[in-house]
Amino acid sequence: MDSGIASTPEPPYTAVIFTSVRTDVDDDYADTADEMVRLAAQQPGYLGHESAREGVGITVSYWHDERAALAWKAIVEHVGAQRRGRRDWYRDYTVRIATVHRAYTMSTSTFD
Amino acid sequence: MDSGIASTPEPPYTAVIFTSVRTDVDDDYADTADEMVRLAAQQPGYLGHESAREGVGITVSYWHDERAALAWKAIVEHVGAQRRGRRDWYRDYTVRIATVHRAYTMSTSTFD
């Protein structure tokens, strides 16, 4: 994750695309987001993630297979519920679960 | 695209996940990026896109099927070559082509 682009193995693998628009509520958000990243990295089948927010927020996490991705989704929902609900933080969000079939990388970096 | 979250139909459909790290070169970049968005929206099978840059840039475009996505990829590469190459603008990038199997949306907006 040095460059912010996840290093992923040869396809196929699973991508979870989480796109969101935040509310103005910030209670616990940053702490919980950090905790989510730590938790994700500990899950079986975690391959990496990429994240950016600029108006809309996009986080893509990569998983060995759909089973691992769905297990992660269940954990996110459980933690979200414990934290009084993601509805406090998000005005809208969409989660998409996808199978990556092809991937192409271009790097001009001398070191990885 | 009002909220920045793409409105997409029921899965399955295709997602093209383009993750990039920019160089410091800005020649033509913004104009070309805008042109790409306009061009994409005119392509057969275009469903929508989402984009954010915060260190890393993530653009996810959605397509009716993989054929439409690959046709778009060919156009991007053609235009990129015409514009002296995307290598001027990107230090690193990865393109992933994926089939979305499941999608969940939460909206608290009164109007869409």
Side-chain angles (χ1 to χ4, degrees):
Chain A
M1 273 286 296
D2 290 335
S3 71
I5 300 180
S7 290
T8 39
E10 285 296 301
Y13 50 85
T14 297
V16 178
I17 307 164
F18 178 77
T19 312
S20 63
V21 177
R22 288 285 317 277
T23 61
D24 295 330
V25 178
D26 262 330
D27 302 0
D28 289 338
Y29 176 75
D31 285 351
T32 305
D34 289 347
E35 185 186 327
M36 290 285 114
V37 170
R38 277 195 306 274
L39 261 177
Q42 295 169 7
Q43 299 312 306
Y46 173 80
L47 299 177
H49 82 279
E50 298 158 345
S51 194
R53 178 170 300 279
E54 186 186 16
V56 68
I58 305 174
T59 296
V60 189
S61 58
Y62 298 101
W63 301 88
H64 183 263
D65 53 27
E66 186 162 307
R67 184 178 177 151
L70 290 172
W72 170 241
K73 180 172 176 290
I75 290 170
V76 169
E77 285 166 356
H78 179 65
V79 174
Q82 286 177 330
R83 296 297 185 111
R84 303 187 321 275
R86 296 157 76 83
R87 67 182 178 283
D88 289 349
W89 298 320
Y90 297 114
R91 204 178 69 199
D92 304 288
Y93 67 79
T94 296
V95 183
R96 295 177 176 97
I97 300 182
T99 303
V100 178
H101 297 292
R102 303 161 186 259
Y104 315 84
T105 290
M106 187 285 289
S107 177
T108 60
S109 305
T110 309
F111 301 102
D112 277 324
Chain B
M1 273 285 298
D2 291 333
S3 71
I5 300 180
S7 290
T8 40
E10 284 296 301
Y13 51 86
T14 297
V16 178
I17 306 163
F18 178 78
T19 313
S20 64
V21 177
R22 289 284 317 276
T23 60
D24 295 329
V25 178
D26 262 331
D27 301 1
D28 289 339
Y29 176 75
D31 285 350
T32 305
D34 289 347
E35 184 186 327
M36 290 285 115
V37 170
R38 276 195 306 273
L39 260 177
Q42 295 168 7
Q43 300 312 304
Y46 173 81
L47 299 177
H49 81 280
E50 298 160 346
S51 193
R53 178 170 300 278
E54 186 187 14
V56 68
I58 305 173
T59 297
V60 190
S61 58
Y62 299 101
W63 301 88
H64 183 263
D65 53 28
E66 187 162 306
R67 184 178 177 150
L70 290 172
W72 171 240
K73 181 172 175 292
I75 290 170
V76 168
E77 285 165 356
H78 180 63
V79 174
Q82 285 179 329
R83 295 296 185 115
R84 303 188 321 276
R86 297 157 75 83
R87 67 183 179 283
D88 289 349
W89 300 318
Y90 297 114
R91 205 177 70 201
D92 304 288
Y93 68 79
T94 295
V95 183
R96 296 177 176 96
I97 300 182
T99 303
V100 178
H101 297 292
R102 302 161 185 259
Y104 314 86
T105 290
M106 187 283 290
S107 176
T108 60
S109 304
T110 309
F111 301 102
D112 276 324

